[in-house]
Amino acid sequence: MGIEIFYFLIFPGLLFSGIIGGLISWADRKITARVQFRKGPPILQPLYDFVKLLAKETIIPLRGSVTTFILAPVFALFGAVISAVFILLPVLGIETGFAGDIIVIIYLLNIPSFTYIIGALASGNPLAAVGASREMKLILSYEMPFLLVLISIIIKSGMTIRLSEIVAYQAANGAFIGSLSGIIGFIAIMMCIQAKMGLVPFDMAEGEGEICDGIIIEFSGSILAFFKLTKYIMFFALPALVAGLFFGGLSLSGINILWSVLKVLAVVLLITLVRNTNPRVRIEQAMKFFWIWMNLFAVISIVLALMGL
Amino acid sequence: MGIKDLSFKKSLWVFHLSAGSCNNCDIEILDLLTPRYDVERFGMKLVGSIRHADVLLVTGIITKKTKARVLEVYEQAPKPIIVIAIGACPCTGGIFASGYNFAGPLDKVIPVDAYIPGCPPKPEAMLAGVMKLLAPPPPEQANANK
Ligand code: SF4
């Protein structure tokens, strides 16, 4: 029992992934600034943002469901931490997990998105409702290619649905990114992750220019801080998942730390560059993009994986 | 200074409210986000919702129509909030002070923490105003306040 609580709260759960996620989100802002020839925020910026939000007044909207509104960010944080634990334990090679944990991870990764929707609808704000409906459609569009890419990974790793075995298979036979089906699947899953994190070009649920931050419009103070922390943790968990699925996992022993950092940073760099070089698309453009193009990529990746490429 | 105050000063999220401006001050505010001034290095950023804001920037004169709205936005903001009047318009009324729809300077409507005069004020002036507001008071003044 004690070790599970340690996993959840300290390493690799809340504390560890929160701190690393904060650093990654700083790196994201810093890279963005450098791309735009700016200087960018100081390294402690995520901490300042988080502490400031914790100390601020929390406003509960008059119309709306109070309990759901307050609990939504808490559940978002729980979902993010649990999925980070389930992803990081096998990917870092601490524990082997259990058979079928990749399916559990698929479900857990959806919890933050769902709680955004629930919280937004509970706030009773019409703009939040618009954001929530967009987020819902976005989930419908990116979930399918995400699953298909995972199927391609499962086929490539000899029909195992255990994340630690997928990582071990890559250690024995070379990382999946080195094969043709791996590259195509990698492109598709990167786009899905962009949408999962709600970053440009798929940030229409939060479009601050048109619907004033959409799903999080009514959140303020400490419950907004919880959403921030959720975002930080997802910014670590998702690149770590990609590193586990395509780059052969991470490791914390000796010189391998450097490689692990580089793998995660490479994924983060890709996400940031895509975010900085694209405008926001409309929701139906995003659905078309995922349903036609990304599904096509994922299916091609499955076919190539079946052919053993 | 505790971590709470420090992080408040280091992470000011700005909400921009145009009460009835000629749009010139608003453009100057946007200048602050450009690579030349880059306020993000101080942790400031523009947010889209008043619920996330720490600073309320008001530009333009308070007209009879917008007075109620400015008050409403101020009341919806989570406290503590800093209110800054940008430009001659919200400070005094500026060139519109004798207009038929002028409803008084901003500090008649909501409490104002800093006035930044100019028509429009330079981005440097805005940055200087915010920095002066956040800087700890000089020692002799601190003693005089005791
Ligand atoms: S202060 Fe001058 S520039 Fe600014 S809104 Fe008023 S008239 Fe326009």
Side-chain angles (χ1 to χ4, degrees):
Chain A
M1 189 62 200
I3 190 76
E4 278 89 7
I5 292 181
F6 176 75
Y7 283 156
F8 185 80
L9 286 180
I10 307 206
F11 181 85
L14 190 60
L15 195 66
F16 177 72
S17 53
I19 291 174
I20 303 283
L23 285 178
I24 289 180
S25 91
W26 167 78
D28 167 62
R29 284 174 76 173
K30 188 80 179 173
I31 295 168
T32 309
R34 295 311 301 163
V35 168
Q36 298 167 350
F37 298 101
R38 292 189 284 119
K39 237 182 112 207
I43 190 162
L44 284 179
Q45 192 60 47
L47 179 72
Y48 293 143
D49 287 352
F50 182 70
V51 175
K52 177 208 74 178
L53 284 175
L54 274 186
K56 275 202 77 133
E57 183 192 4
T58 303
I59 296 179
I60 310 292
L62 195 61
R63 282 182 288 274
S65 159
V66 176
T67 325
T68 326
F69 182 75
I70 295 178
L71 281 184
V74 179
F75 278 109
L77 187 59
F78 279 161
V81 173
I82 277 274
S83 48
V85 171
F86 272 105
I87 290 171
L88 289 174
L89 281 181
V91 168
L92 289 173
I94 305 169
E95 277 215 356
T96 48
F98 48 89
D101 57 355
I102 196 139
I103 296 172
V104 179
I105 289 171
I106 294 169
Y107 281 101
L108 287 176
L109 280 178
N110 271 328
I111 292 183
S113 310
F114 279 123
T115 47
Y116 291 157
I117 296 174
I118 293 170
L121 291 177
S123 72
N125 187 309
L127 291 179
V130 174
S133 100
R134 290 183 186 182
E135 178 82 25
M136 237 180 267
K137 285 170 198 146
L138 204 56
I139 293 179
L140 286 180
S141 37
Y142 68 64
E143 219 33 31
M144 176 92 168
F146 189 69
L147 292 180
L148 289 177
V149 173
L150 285 182
I151 290 175
S152 138
I153 297 278
I154 289 169
I155 292 172
K156 285 170 77 67
S157 53
M159 293 295 169
T160 169
I161 47 172
R162 195 169 177 159
L163 194 50
S164 60
E165 278 171 17
I166 295 177
V167 173
Y169 185 90
Q170 292 181 68
N173 302 325
F176 288 155
I177 187 73
S179 62
L180 191 57
S181 61
I183 294 175
I184 295 177
F186 181 70
I187 297 173
I189 208 167
M190 285 307 287
M191 288 297 142
C192 296
I193 281 182
Q194 201 88 11
K196 256 188 197 302
M197 311 248 308
L199 293 173
V200 189
F202 306 114
D203 69 331
M204 60 290 276
E206 282 182 29
E208 63 280 341
E210 28 172 343
I211 51 173
C212 315
D213 283 338
I215 39 179
I216 51 170
I217 182 170
E218 285 290 340
F219 290 90
S220 58
S222 39
I223 47 179
L224 183 62
F226 274 45
F227 267 158
K228 272 268 158 213
L229 193 56
T230 308
K231 287 240 154 106
Y232 294 164
I233 291 175
M234 292 299 271
F235 220 146
F236 180 39
L238 287 170
L241 177 67
V242 172
L245 292 180
F246 288 93
F247 298 148
L250 308 173
S251 162
L252 286 183
S253 56
I255 191 71
N256 287 329
I257 290 187
L258 187 66
W259 278 113
S260 311
V261 171
L262 282 182
K263 280 174 190 168
V264 173
L265 269 189
V267 179
V268 171
L269 185 69
L270 267 179
I271 295 176
T272 309
L273 287 183
V274 171
R275 162 171 116 87
N276 275 306
T277 45
N278 286 284
R280 183 186 310 140
V281 295
R282 290 196 308 272
I283 181 70
E284 90 273 10
Q285 289 170 324
M287 294 176 87
K288 225 176 254 168
F289 177 75
F290 279 109
W291 279 352
I292 299 178
W293 295 109
M294 286 307 116
N295 274 344
L296 188 70
F297 272 49
V299 170
I300 292 176
S301 160
I302 291 182
V303 173
L304 289 175
L306 282 175
M307 284 159 50
L309 283 172
Chain B
M1 187 168 60
I3 174 103
K4 204 171 128 185
D5 290 341
L6 179 72
S7 32
F8 184 76
K9 286 183 183 177
K10 288 278 190 180
S11 144
L12 292 175
W13 291 1
V14 177
F15 182 80
H16 166 205
L17 173 69
S18 166
S21 70
C22 73
N23 211 21
N24 211 339
C25 285
D26 312 72
I27 301 286
E28 295 296 317
I29 289 174
L30 291 185
D31 272 357
L32 287 174
L33 303 175
T34 56
R36 187 178 177 98
Y37 298 104
D38 184 26
V39 284
E40 204 191 359
R41 67 203 147 108
F42 306 120
M44 302 179 201
K45 66 173 190 180
L46 273 185
V47 290
S49 160
I50 183 68
R51 296 273 197 239
H52 310 166
D54 308 301
V55 180
L56 179 62
L57 298 184
V58 184
T59 61
I61 57 163
I62 315 302
T63 64
K64 284 176 183 155
K65 288 280 184 197
T66 52
K67 190 174 170 186
R69 274 91 184 170
V70 171
L71 199 60
E72 173 89 27
V73 168
Y74 177 73
E75 277 165 0
Q76 296 214 357
K79 310 293 176 298
I81 183 131
I82 298 174
V83 180
I84 301 183
I86 299 275
C89 280
C91 293
T92 62
I95 56 172
F96 301 115
S98 55
Y100 67 95
N101 55 359
F102 179 59
L106 181 64
D107 47 11
K108 291 265 162 60
V109 186
I110 54 178
V112 177
D113 294 282
Y115 303 85
I116 299 178
C119 183
K122 281 185 144 196
E124 291 96 330
M126 298 183 199
L127 268 183
V130 176
M131 289 299 143
K132 273 183 198 156
L133 181 67
L134 294 182
E140 66 273 25
Q141 205 180 330
N143 290 336
N145 285 346
K146 267 178 198 164

